[in-house]
Amino acid sequence: MVKVKVHVTLKEGVLDPQGKAVEKALQAKDFHGVSDMRIGKYMEFTLESSQVERQVEEMCEQLLANPVIEDYRYELEEVVTS
Amino acid sequence: MRFAVVVFPGSNCDTDMFYAIKEALGEDAHYVSYRESNLSNYDAILLPGGFSYGDYLRSGSIASFAPVMEAVREYAELGKPVLGVCNGFQILLETGLLPGAMKRNDHLKFICETTPIIVTNNQTMFSSEYRQDERISLPIAHAEGNYECDDQTFDELKRHNQIVFQYADNPNGSKGDIAGICNKQGNVLGMMPHPERATVDLLGCDDGLRLFESILVNWREHHAVTS
């Protein structure tokens, strides 16, 4: 069993209105030097599968991300069961 | 003419759509559950606005896997009319029946107002009762109507005259001022403005009625030819 951690963000080049607003808010709070703020989604779940990577990629392509405007990446962690 | 109004969990413009067909247009309207798998009894399919499945994950993403959408896909392949309004448009994008995707409005606010719309293409079964480049008024009500697609898709939309409605005064950052697009075959239309909320004067505007009249006129013509 593995723990899957999926990150979904808008593709590079696709303007992120939320990211821009938060970036400006940070500047207003006197945090300087911040650029390229992107806001995304984080999902985690455990998965029991013999083909973890293939399955996770299919999940991302078909549902978890919208490939038209979003990119995804994921991390896998072995779940230690006692 | 028999119109199906598809009802998803979280649809909230289904009654308006039903009223537009039944009372304003004077045709047959039927509510159809998202569980339905056979749409062969209907002459047009309407996907209403709302917040199907609570807009979880992305607007329209869960609804695009509802059983009825497989039937809508088959129905669209037959060249019959499918109209998606607001959340219905978002569902059509998520199923891939129309190209592109929706982002949050560029100013991040929910907008609810009547806005000027240009009829960019009046050569479709949804817009033939309007004049080319006619300026009409329709209500909009959405937080995610900021249409996005890559440049290649945008060029294709223009080349095949798939941009049917454009905003005269872009309210949400939508690419190319896009308010509504159809597929290449011209039988699937998605639009953010709500024609069903503008079908009688009492509602402040009846510019939306001619969209439904267009569907009816074209269906009658097609029916007269084939029968």
Side-chain angles (χ1 to χ4, degrees), chain B residues 44-113:
Chain B
I45 306 300
L46 308 172
L47 306 179
F51 296 85
S52 58
Y53 298 90
D55 269 1
Y56 297 156
L57 194 62
R58 294 179 305 277
S59 310
S61 64
I62 313 287
S64 71
F65 291 90
V68 75
M69 289 312 295
E70 193 49 46
V72 170
R73 193 190 303 275
E74 288 166 16
Y75 188 90
E77 275 171 24
L78 299 173
K80 295 184 185 180
V82 176
L83 168 68
V85 170
C86 201
N87 189 227
F89 185 11
Q90 293 162 340
I91 295 168
L92 290 173
L93 292 171
E94 283 284 341
T95 56
L97 279 167
L98 292 172
M102 284 299 172
K103 293 192 304 178
R104 291 275 297 270
N105 295 341
D106 57 358
H107 45 71
L108 302 173
K109 294 189 191 86
F110 186 95
I111 32 173
C112 184
E113 61 193 24

Side-chain angles (χ1 to χ4, degrees), chain A residues 19-79:
Chain A
K20 271 275 165 285
V22 173
E23 194 178 302
K24 280 198 190 126
L26 283 174
Q27 282 163 10
K29 282 196 156 299
D30 274 341
F31 290 102
H32 298 293
V34 178
S35 59
D36 303 323
M37 168 76 72
R38 314 291 282 171
I39 294 190
K41 297 186 188 102
Y42 173 70
M43 295 161 239
E44 62 172 41
F45 50 91
T46 48
L47 179 64
E48 182 86 74
S49 167
S50 56
Q51 294 176 296
V52 170
E53 293 195 11
R54 211 194 69 184
Q55 267 219 304
V56 171
E57 275 161 34
E58 282 181 5
M59 287 175 186
C60 289
E61 294 284 336
Q62 290 179 29
L63 181 65
L64 302 183
N66 180 344
V68 178
I69 50 167
E70 291 173 331
D71 279 332
Y72 64 87
R73 65 189 166 80
Y74 59 87
E75 298 145 30
L76 305 174
E77 268 173 32
E78 208 62 47
V79 176

Side-chain angles (χ1 to χ4, degrees), chain B residues 121-194:
Chain B
N121 177 5
N122 79 336
Q123 301 294 307
T124 76
M125 62 170 84
F126 304 97
S127 59
S128 57
E129 294 299 298
Y130 296 105
R131 293 189 308 279
Q132 179 65 29
D133 301 321
E134 184 177 344
R135 190 185 166 106
I136 60 174
S137 290
L138 289 176
I140 50 171
H142 59 251
E144 293 188 17
N146 184 351
Y147 180 81
E148 175 75 34
C149 64
D150 59 29
D151 291 337
Q152 192 192 335
T153 306
F154 185 60
D155 287 343
E156 254 177 61
L157 287 174
K158 283 194 286 189
R159 198 165 55 244
H160 299 285
N161 290 319
Q162 288 172 254
I163 302 172
V164 182
F165 297 109
Q166 280 173 295
Y167 299 109
D169 185 9
N170 195 331
N172 54 26
S174 191
K175 187 161 189 161
D177 302 325
I178 283 175
I181 55 168
C182 66
N183 61 347
K184 265 186 209 148
Q185 294 72 28
N187 67 305
V188 178
L189 174 73
M191 62 193 293
M192 289 314 289
H194 288 270

Side-chain angles (χ1 to χ4, degrees), chain A residues 2-13:
Chain A
V2 288
K3 178 143 226 159
V4 185
K5 300 179 171 183
V6 179
H7 303 261
V8 178
T9 49
L10 283 172
K11 274 185 178 160
E12 220 176 291

